[in-house]
Amino acid sequence: MNTIIAFMKRHYKIIATVVVMAIGLWSFMPKKFSGTDPEKDKVLLEILSYVLEKGHYQPAKIDDNLSKKIYKDYLEALDPSKRFFLQSDIDEFSKYETKIDDDLNNRTFTFFNLTYDRLLQRMQESKTYYQDVLSKPIDFNVKEEYNTDFEKLPFAKNVKELKERWRKQTKFSVLGTLVDKEKMQEDLLKNASKTTQESLEEYKTKLGKRYTEELGKKYQQDLEKRKSEKPKSYEELEKESRESTLNSYNEYFNFVKDLDREDWFSVYINSVVSQFDPHTSYFPPTAKEKFDVEMSGKLEGIGARLQKKNDITEISELISGGPAWRGKELEAGDKILKVAQGNAEPVDVVGMRIDDVVKKIKGPKGTEVRLTVKKNDGTVRVISIIRDEVEIEETYAKSTITMKDGVKYGIINLPKFYIDFDNKDSRDAAKDVAQEVERLKQEGVEGIAIDLRDNGGGSLKTVIDIAGLFIDKGPVVQVRGADGRAETMPDKDERIQWNGPLVIMINEFSASASEILAAAMQDYKRGVIIGSTQSYGKGTVQNMIDLNNFVRGSNFGDLGALKATTQKFYRINGGSTQKEGVKSDVVMPDKYEYLKMGEKDVPNALAWDKIEPAKFTVWSNYQALDLAIANSKTRLLNNQQLKLIDENAKFLDSREDIHSISLNINDYKAEQKKLEEANKKFKAITKYNNGLSFMPITYDKNLMSKDETLKEKREVWFDDLTKDVYVEEAVNILNDIYKNSSKTLAQKKG
């Protein structure tokens, strides 16, 4: 240990930047260690502390104030729904609220060991609580409520109060399953009078272009099987629901039993490193492996990214082209309550580790998974998805053509800023966007819109190269490291591939590299930015640091990796995109307008600041943009579709603070029906038609004629674009810029 510390102190200047942190430190390390967990933990903590101190953009001071934050976040991570620890445990833990920093500085684990041992004890005790509740029929006629506002909920004062909390939570789980079963049975009885063919036609209509003969055959088989089943009594359904919940809870505790000390220690470590900023995180060996797999671009299952919020697994993003994305029923923000394999009993996944939820959702191509989700509006729905391989092709840039007033315009969709750093000859976002621009030029388009909605970012190099397609040369972004020195990163190529009308589309999920491109085009006045009030607001740079490079030759095994924030992005006008994001020139309300989902809403996010602006020259034809922006704002004042979307957004916001759920079955059903009725008017949002038609470019036409799968995906995309009010306005703005530019040019010639 002393050898490690001594080396780090001697060579801190060499290792001060992340770029050189992975040099051969291991050659200075002792080759053998005791191999015990405490020693491994000490070495891990030593390396993490050093890397964060020397490599993080803004290292936090390890003191009592930091200790309090770690204490709060760590307990929330261990027991988010407050169903394990008692108030007496918290009273005992509170003695360490300002002493965790001492543990960290001394490389001791007093607080962790205490909480870890107590958690295992409380978890073991709690198994009997739900088993007692589920051992007999539950009375759902009692008027009582379940409070899901865990953040404000106090810890149970005693075992009796804790058992009552478990009783209500367990009852809530059974109630949801019971109501689902009753509804499925009611739907079956309603459809019993219909012929299989009539039901199949309805199913075809529902799926639209996503329908296949294979799905139809499976649907018919499933329908016939259910029609042959005898309706079950309430008592039978209630018993089945209890058994299903019991299986889910037992499975959850079996997963917990399989966790080892290293898993829980990782939770503790992440509670520490996340205090530096929300994007700094520790990846234990298994998580690091999964991260590497995701970076390779191989995705399979339903095509959705998940995140954990308290005890709930939530959809954070849908992967473009994946089954969930194509189905249009699952959305970002949906909370997954249960997972079922086809017709099998659904398994309650509330409280389950996210890794285990992922395992249940993933599965072989062509198999069905049914997710019971709580929508943002509070309704609970069962969504069926046929698993598929999410092809990497659908994460690449693609383009289409549309017409407005007899003029052609192009739309380029860019899901992320991808690159393969190991192979310079492979395709990347910049090469592909340049290619799509060239193909659109050959089609004779007069304006281009780049869709960056839901694009979470990616390679810095690609975004600089893409910006260079639309300007002659000059700065694109500024980057500042921990030393305070700012570096301007320019496009050095004087060529302009596209000098015509340009629109950049963003939303609150457009982050990082997306914000760099949007900000640069806005600062140059090169294009019009349309979309949400502002983008996500992630103005920081992270690097993945393999911790094993520090201790090679040891017998500790894999130490994992640290993703650390090392720099901040700044616009060329000097302002940071951190927290503030990029504000749209033309604001269009969307479904998540009022929900807290941006960087500014994340605890420990680094602050906004500004530096000196870079030297740059605005686009010569910016007057045409100003006129187009003014026209757009006037046009949108009376847009009924946007008014309905805004109304929906306000409705979702009004549901955000409702945490009380009735455990009376009639009241629960009434509330669900009320929500469904309130949502009926918002269904019109998905039925909107903007009157535009979208066509493949010539290059894609040739591919689609040979590839039925690609043809299907493109047609689904074109169909979705016809319902998109944001794309409609992007085309309107391009049309205005084109007309205004033409007038200006004519005046100059005259």
Side-chain angles (χ1 to χ4, degrees), residues 144-148 150 165 168-169 172 659-661 663:
E144 59 180 346
E145 295 187 335
Y146 174 55
N147 183 9
T148 60
F150 303 126
R165 192 165 293 179
K168 285 190 174 184
Q169 181 173 313
F172 171 62
H659 302 287
S660 186
I661 301 170
L663 296 179

Side-chain angles (χ1 to χ4, degrees), residues 404-575:
K404 177 73 178 179
D405 295 341
V407 180
K408 280 186 183 178
Y409 297 103
I411 311 291
I412 297 176
N413 178 269
L414 184 63
K416 64 179 180 179
F417 292 83
Y418 48 89
I419 193 171
D420 185 346
F421 288 107
D422 296 326
N423 183 2
K424 293 181 180 179
D425 296 326
S426 68
R427 65 189 301 183
D428 63 46
K431 293 175 189 173
D432 286 354
V433 170
Q435 199 168 55
E436 295 301 326
V437 169
E438 197 57 39
R439 288 167 180 164
L440 288 172
K441 284 169 66 177
Q442 290 171 8
E443 299 285 349
V445 302
E446 298 292 352
I448 294 175
I450 300 180
D451 190 350
L452 298 180
R453 291 176 296 174
D454 302 326
N455 184 323
S459 161
L460 177 61
K461 179 185 181 303
T462 59
V463 71
I464 292 171
D465 290 344
I466 290 172
L469 301 175
F470 308 109
I471 59 173
D472 49 8
K473 66 176 181 177
V476 173
V477 64
Q478 300 185 86
V479 181
R480 185 167 73 170
D483 59 5
R485 289 183 295 180
E487 177 187 1
T488 299
M489 308 191 78
D491 162 50
K492 297 177 182 178
D493 191 342
E494 295 186 6
R495 291 176 299 173
I496 302 175
Q497 188 173 9
W498 178 254
N499 62 2
L502 180 68
V503 166
I504 305 290
M505 302 174 66
I506 62 171
N507 63 8
E508 60 278 285
F509 297 115
S510 303
S512 195
S514 292
E515 295 173 295
I516 292 172
L517 180 59
M521 296 302 99
Q522 190 174 58
D523 289 345
Y524 274 106
K525 292 196 172 184
R526 176 61 187 88
V528 175
I529 314 302
I530 75 166
S532 307
T533 303
Q534 69 173 66
S535 56
Y536 185 83
K538 181 182 178 293
T540 56
V541 189
Q542 285 73 42
N543 280 279
M544 185 67 82
I545 305 161
D546 190 338
L547 302 178
N548 297 297
N549 288 327
F550 292 85
V551 288
R552 287 183 185 174
S554 77
N555 59 356
F556 284 149
D558 196 342
L559 290 175
L562 178 73
K563 186 178 71 171
T565 296
T566 56
Q567 296 171 306
K568 279 179 82 172
F569 288 129
Y570 292 86
R571 301 171 64 135
I572 56 175
N573 70 6

Side-chain angles (χ1 to χ4, degrees), residues 641-655:
Q641 175 74 349
L642 289 179
K643 287 182 178 179
L644 186 60
I645 290 171
D646 189 54
E647 188 179 344
N648 188 23
K650 288 175 180 175
F651 174 72
L652 292 178
D653 184 50
S654 71
R655 301 287 311 170

Side-chain angles (χ1 to χ4, degrees), residues 591-642:
K591 193 173 183 179
Y592 306 109
E593 182 78 18
Y594 306 105
L595 300 183
K596 296 178 179 179
M597 304 179 84
E599 181 87 354
K600 66 182 184 300
D601 305 308
V602 180
N604 308 324
L606 297 183
W608 178 90
D609 61 344
K610 62 188 298 186
I611 60 175
E612 287 295 315
K615 293 182 180 179
F616 64 96
T617 304
V618 298
W619 193 248
S620 59
N621 195 26
Y622 68 86
Q623 291 93 343
L625 304 189
D626 292 340
L627 284 170
I629 291 169
N631 289 345
S632 178
K633 289 179 178 179
T634 301
R635 188 164 47 239
L636 296 181
L637 285 175
N638 298 312
N639 189 299
Q640 296 304 310
Q641 175 74 349
L642 289 179

